[in-house]
Amino acid sequence: MNRNLEELLKEQKNIKVIDSSIDYRDYVALDLSATHTDQLDLNLTDALIFEEFIENHLSNNKAKVAFGGYIETRNLYRRSTVFKNENTDERNIHIGLDLWIKAGTSVLAALDGKIHSFQDNTALGDYGPTIILEHNYENITFYTLYGHLSSESLLEKEIGKIVKKGEQIATLGAAPINGDYAPHLHFQIIKDLQGKFGDYPGVCSRKEVEFYLENCPDPNFLLNIE
């Protein structure tokens, strides 16, 4: 009987992709959906104001990490032509999981694998420095993407280098290095990279969502954050 990736992900245990010393009990959910942020008096285009908003959310909930965003429709991306121009549909549905915590926090390989590619995606609102790992478990090949990293994270990286589960591969970047966002990790699981190198869409349009739901499973299958 052939197994699928989702089943394999759910069987993995004790997975962390940022600072392993922080227990999942110290995480708090964060709603950045358009319906919620439209109700807030919050300038989504100012990374420093947004960072203060995140820090207040953590403080108010006595938490260390805010998380969420998979298949969340957001208004965060309207400031950038990366997500909408005269020739494209608006891309505003987030297809990874965001983990919000301060710049400099360690970023860890989710699973054993190797470096597939890396790149600095420098456009406003893009990932900034990005690393993609390739994994093969039980003859199933898939990828994990780590976006919004520091510039230093790309130094001395080599395609094909072996990495181990829990190994530090990067640190989180600050605005504007990270695409001009409050510091956070964009973590995404991808079945088929479609020939991409150092980059893969982390936000899709409404008409594309069915494809990306299939190609990019919920990262919480793997992380299992309660």
Side-chain angles (χ1 to χ4, degrees):
M1 177 178 171
N2 291 330
R3 305 219 305 138
N4 64 33
L5 176 58
E6 288 80 359
E7 291 171 335
L8 188 151
L9 295 174
K10 290 176 181 178
E11 291 177 359
Q12 307 308 308
K13 304 298 182 185
N14 303 316
I15 308 297
K16 294 282 184 67
V17 289
I18 57 171
D19 191 342
S20 61
S21 70
I22 303 176
D23 194 278
Y24 282 152
R25 289 174 294 185
D26 292 319
Y27 282 49
V28 64
L30 177 63
D31 180 0
L32 293 177
S33 64
T35 53
H36 180 61
T37 58
D38 281 349
Q39 298 171 3
L40 302 176
D41 183 18
L42 178 64
N43 182 357
L44 296 174
T45 68
D46 189 312
L48 294 178
I49 291 174
F50 195 73
E51 184 172 359
E52 183 178 359
F53 166 76
I54 298 292
E55 290 174 352
N56 287 338
H57 182 70
L58 292 173
S59 177
N60 291 339
N61 288 278
K62 297 181 172 57
K64 296 179 180 178
V65 180
F67 75 97
Y70 181 67
I71 309 301
E72 191 170 69
T73 301
R74 295 174 166 178
N75 289 336
L76 287 173
Y77 312 111
R78 288 182 173 174
R79 62 184 173 144
S80 173
T81 56
V82 168
F83 304 101
K84 175 73 173 88
N85 60 54
E86 60 185 14
N87 299 314
T88 63
D89 293 318
E90 181 178 11
R91 294 193 296 126
N92 60 0
I93 302 174
H94 190 254
I95 49 178
L97 184 75
D98 283 338
L99 303 166
W100 303 83
I101 189 173
K102 65 182 182 298
T105 299
S106 58
V107 175
L108 315 175
L111 297 164
D112 293 349
K114 63 182 179 180
I115 296 177
H116 172 275
S117 52
F118 53 93
Q119 180 171 282
D120 191 356
N121 298 290
T122 58
L124 175 67
D126 212 327
Y127 288 129
T130 308
I131 296 172
I132 297 176
L133 302 184
E134 180 178 330
H135 311 276
N136 189 287
Y137 279 62
E138 300 182 19
N139 295 317
I140 300 174
T141 298
F142 60 100
Y143 306 87
T144 53
L145 181 150
Y146 309 76
H148 308 299
L149 309 176
S150 66
S151 296
E152 293 78 11
S153 298
L154 302 188
L155 297 178
E156 300 181 1
K157 289 292 184 291
E158 297 178 8
I159 293 172
K161 181 180 178 181
I162 300 298
V163 297
K164 294 296 184 181
K165 171 186 171 183
E167 177 183 337
Q168 181 173 334
I169 58 170
T171 55
L172 291 184
I177 298 300
N178 71 359
D180 200 44
Y181 292 100
H184 70 290
L185 175 68
H186 174 99
F187 177 65
Q188 189 167 334
I189 299 169
I190 305 162
K191 294 179 181 179
D192 180 1
L193 267 181
Q194 301 179 279
K196 302 288 188 183
F197 182 94
D199 190 18
Y200 190 82
V203 182
C204 72
S205 68
R206 177 60 59 187
K207 71 167 55 173
E208 299 170 315
V209 72
E210 185 174 341
F211 168 79
Y212 283 107
L213 273 170
E214 168 59 28
N215 199 44
C216 300
D218 186 347
N220 212 30
F221 287 160
L222 179 62
L223 299 186
N224 196 27
I225 304 170
E226 298 294 338

